[in-house]
Amino acid sequence: MKRHGCLILMSLVAASSLPAQVRDTAVRTPAPALAAPLAPAESLGSLSVVVRTHDGRRVDRAFVTARSADTTVLPIVSRAAVTDPTGYFRFDSLRNGRYVIRVDSTAWPAMVEQFAVRGATAASIVLPTLPSDGSPSWSQTLWTLGALLLYGLTILIARWHRIARPVHAMIGTQLRTLRTRLDTEVDATQPQVAKLIAAVEAMQKEEQDYNNAKWPWGEYFFWSRGRENAIWVAIHEMERELAAVLTPPAQVESYLQWTEAELRAMKKPTPTAVADAIAAALVANPPSDPLYRKALLGHGLKLVYADRDSGFSMLMEWHNKASWLILAALTAIGFLTGSIGHSILFLAGAAGGYSSRLMRALRRDDVPLDYGASWTTLFLSPLFGALTGWFGIALLTLVARPELNLLGPAFRLIDWNDPYGPITIAVAFLLGFSERLFDAVVVALDKHAGPQAPPPVSIVPPSAAASPCPPVASGPGASPVISEIVREKRADGAAADALIVKGGGFVATSTATVNGTPHTLVYVSPQAVSLPLTPQDIARIDAGGDSEVVIASPGSAPSNKKNFV
């Protein structure tokens, strides 16, 4: 017995020193009586496999076994091999069919995969990214958490010095301008002038104390908390009260003309009515009462400033929402990294999101002041790209399985267990770069999971069937149809402040809504209308927001909804 044991041990040692092709052995059990005869030579194939870890390291001296996956079709086959220093092994003279390959290594948990052998077949096996205890590595988790912390601090610093401080600089400038106007444009004999001066000086002192604070930690972490909104409302109220003490009459008339133009630009019923009253007062003969003019000016300024304060409040509210979204995204990425791993997918998706936003920023035209709203998309894009890259790879691995096969065989190259593979990293980058790619994956899965509705039955007249492009309905009584929305271009090729809506069924009395709100419409032709863009529209579009457009004509149903992104 001892001699037999020694011989067996010497054989194993000798086999381990040979190349994989030589030490590949086959142990075939005797075929049953009904087993198929051996196939001709042309039906035999080979399987060449490289075993590596998720970070690309080759796994040597791993014990590999192969057996037939379906013994009702193939003879019972069992093979064994040991990977060489390059992680390579090869099985020759295999009948075409499916085989179960098991890899056992001392440093990694066992891995079992199936391969279909068709002639000379090459493949790779990636050992699981998780160590044997089932938890991600501490180094991976700590590096990711450190990157998240650094990114969060960068956002706080940029938000404070690039958004909050410039807003307060504007407030300080506006207060100084208001104080100068109280010295040069008013009747100093009026009793309310002294009250206005005292109020402005008190606000200046408060703003100076705020700016001189060395470490306003509450503002760093929780800006904006509404302080700026309150200051702008107070400044605008004082400017409205200043209208009652303006002098001389020519000064009042110039402010009335400016206010009329601002009111008409708002394109709302009440501001338009006040603008008409101002226009009538300016051309009245004999001239209207000076006190009446000042009252009109105060009322017009109230409407103008209320509209501005409302827009500013919406932008500050968006900043607060963006802060919450950033915190939620950072928390989700941290927990997923600590519990599951695959942090490289977060990095690849974040790089894609950043690249996408960088390309848009380079091609973007100058836009009016948005009080830092465009910064929020710069903060959120890498985080959104990180999440879509990570979850997108998981979803693609699911929908590309042979049982579903929703996206075709090409996507089977993506392997959730191979996050460091070039294909997986490239697709994670594309998922972060293009929101539409991630949407397509979700839509494909949603269609497969949801009930399949029968296709609608439509009767097409022979004349319409013969036409490759059915005409869009137009003319009185026809419902408008939107086929395309594009940004109008100036002569130099830059984007203009208008959208061109193309389609059919448009008339001179058509109206438009954008995101459910009435919007100005300029009739061009039955196949096109123009929508002038307000500063708020431009800020929303450049921030990546949707603009849902609907056109309606008298006596017909509204058009289809169309988004401009």
Side-chain angles (χ1 to χ4, degrees):
M1 291 296 294
K2 290 183 178 180
R3 292 184 59 191
H4 289 299
C6 292
L7 289 175
I8 293 174
L9 180 59
M10 293 173 63
S11 300
L12 290 176
V13 172
S16 64
S17 63
L18 295 176
Q21 296 90 329
V22 177
R23 67 173 178 266
D24 176 18
T25 60
V27 180
R28 290 184 182 269
T29 60
L34 297 179
L38 290 176
E42 60 269 18
S43 64
L44 296 179
S46 63
L47 178 61
S48 304
V49 180
V50 173
V51 180
R52 57 188 177 87
T53 62
H54 64 278
D55 56 357
R57 291 177 297 167
R58 303 297 179 93
V59 180
D60 63 336
R61 304 193 65 80
F63 187 71
V64 184
T65 58
R67 62 179 177 83
S68 307
D70 188 357
T71 56
T72 62
V73 178
L74 295 174
I76 301 175
V77 175
S78 179
R79 296 285 188 94
V82 178
T83 57
D84 64 13
T86 64
Y88 175 85
F89 71 89
R90 177 187 176 95
F91 291 132
D92 289 314
S93 302
L94 293 177
R95 294 190 61 180
N96 292 333
R98 298 192 66 84
Y99 293 86
V100 177
I101 308 297
R102 178 186 174 93
V103 179
D104 291 279
S105 174
T106 57
W108 298 90
M111 185 68 178
V112 178
E113 288 196 16
Q114 285 194 24
F115 294 101
V117 175
R118 294 289 185 271
T121 303
S124 64
I125 294 179
V126 180
L127 298 184
T129 58
L130 302 179
S132 300
D133 60 357
S135 60
S137 64
W138 276 105
S139 61
Q140 180 187 95
T141 303
L142 290 177
W143 275 106
T144 304
L145 293 179
L148 294 177
L149 179 61
L150 179 62
Y151 187 74
L153 291 176
T154 303
I155 290 176
L156 290 176
I157 295 173
R159 188 180 64 166
W160 177 250
H161 290 283
R162 296 299 183 185
I163 304 175
R165 294 302 294 268
V167 168
H168 281 280
M170 292 176 58
I171 290 175
T173 302
Q174 190 70 15
L175 287 171
R176 289 191 295 271
T177 302
L178 183 58
R179 182 65 182 84
T180 302
R181 291 182 61 193
L182 286 170
D183 290 336
T184 59
E185 297 182 359
V186 303
D187 182 4
T189 62
Q190 298 292 331
Q192 58 265 46
V193 173
K195 295 181 180 179
L196 287 174
I197 292 176
V200 171
E201 290 178 347
M203 291 185 63
Q204 284 182 307
K205 184 179 184 307
E206 181 183 353
E207 185 66 15
Q208 186 177 6
D209 293 341
Y210 177 85
N211 291 329
N212 291 337
K214 290 186 177 180
W215 301 105
W217 295 110
E219 295 296 319
Y220 276 144
F221 290 100
F222 301 105
W223 186 88
S224 153
R225 295 186 289 182
R227 185 177 185 275
E228 296 79 6
N229 300 43
I231 293 176
W232 279 117
V233 170
I235 291 176
H236 290 156
E237 177 60 23
M238 285 188 287
E239 290 185 344
R240 187 190 68 81
E241 294 179 5
L242 186 145
V245 293
L246 281 175
T247 190
Q251 186 85 286
V252 177
E253 183 173 344
S254 66
Y255 279 113
L256 280 172
Q257 293 171 348
W258 175 85
T259 304
E260 179 191 358
E262 292 291 321
L263 291 171
R264 294 195 186 280
M266 295 168 63
K267 300 186 183 301
K268 296 179 181 178
T270 301
T272 301
V274 177
D276 292 339
I278 291 175
L282 289 174
V283 299
N285 192 12
S288 55
D289 182 35
L291 293 179
Y292 173 69
R293 287 190 170 194
K294 291 182 179 180
L296 275 179
L297 177 59
H299 189 54
L301 290 175
K302 181 179 180 180
L303 293 174
V304 171
Y305 291 146
D307 184 69
R308 290 186 180 182
D309 292 337
S310 176
F312 182 80
S313 297
M314 291 177 61
L315 290 173
M316 291 299 103
E317 183 65 20
W318 168 239
H319 279 295
N320 294 334
K321 292 179 180 178
S323 299
W324 169 251
L325 292 174
I326 290 170
L327 177 62
L330 291 174
T331 304
I333 293 173
F335 273 107
L336 289 171
T337 299
S339 59
I340 300 177
H342 293 68
S343 59
I344 187 65
L345 299 181
F346 286 124
L347 179 61
Y354 172 76
S355 300
S356 174
R357 181 50 52 185
L358 180 63
M359 292 181 62
R360 296 184 187 183
L362 292 176
R363 294 197 298 259
R364 192 187 70 171
D365 299 317
D366 293 334
V367 298
L369 177 67
D370 61 359
Y371 296 100
S374 58
W375 275 90
T376 58
T377 56
L378 297 179
F379 298 152
L380 287 169
S381 292
L383 295 175
F384 178 78
L387 291 172
T388 54
W390 195 90
F391 282 103
I393 293 298
L395 290 175
L396 283 173
T397 304
L398 171 63
V399 299
R401 292 176 64 89
E403 304 92 287
L404 298 178
N405 195 26
L406 301 181
L407 297 178
F411 286 91
R412 296 178 191 172
L413 299 173
I414 302 168
D415 189 357
W416 171 258
N417 292 320
D418 185 18
Y420 289 87
I423 296 177
T424 305
I425 291 179
V427 174
F429 177 87
L430 291 176
L431 287 164
F433 186 88
S434 174
E435 298 91 344
R436 292 183 178 88
L437 178 58
F438 183 78
D439 291 341
V441 177
V442 175
V443 168
L445 189 60
D446 181 67
K447 288 182 178 179
H448 180 78
Q452 301 295 322
V457 179
S458 58
I459 301 176
V460 181
S463 59
S467 175
C469 297
V472 178
S474 61
S479 297
V481 176
I482 301 177
S483 60
E484 184 183 9
I485 303 177
V486 297
R487 186 83 173 264
E488 187 177 350
K489 298 290 185 180
R490 295 198 297 260
D492 58 358
D497 298 339
L499 296 179
I500 299 298
V501 181
K502 301 179 181 180
F506 305 137
V507 295
T509 56
S510 295
T511 58
T513 60
V514 178
N515 293 334
T517 303
H519 200 283
T520 305
L521 180 146
V522 178
Y523 176 76
V524 179
S525 70
Q527 288 77 36
V529 294
S530 175
L531 304 182
L533 297 176
T534 64
Q536 290 81 3
D537 294 333
I538 296 175
R540 182 182 65 251
I541 291 173
D542 288 327
D546 291 343
S547 297
E548 186 180 75
V549 178
V550 176
I551 307 296
S553 298
S556 64
S559 70
N560 57 302
K561 298 177 181 179
K562 190 76 172 178
N563 273 332
F564 176 78
V565 181

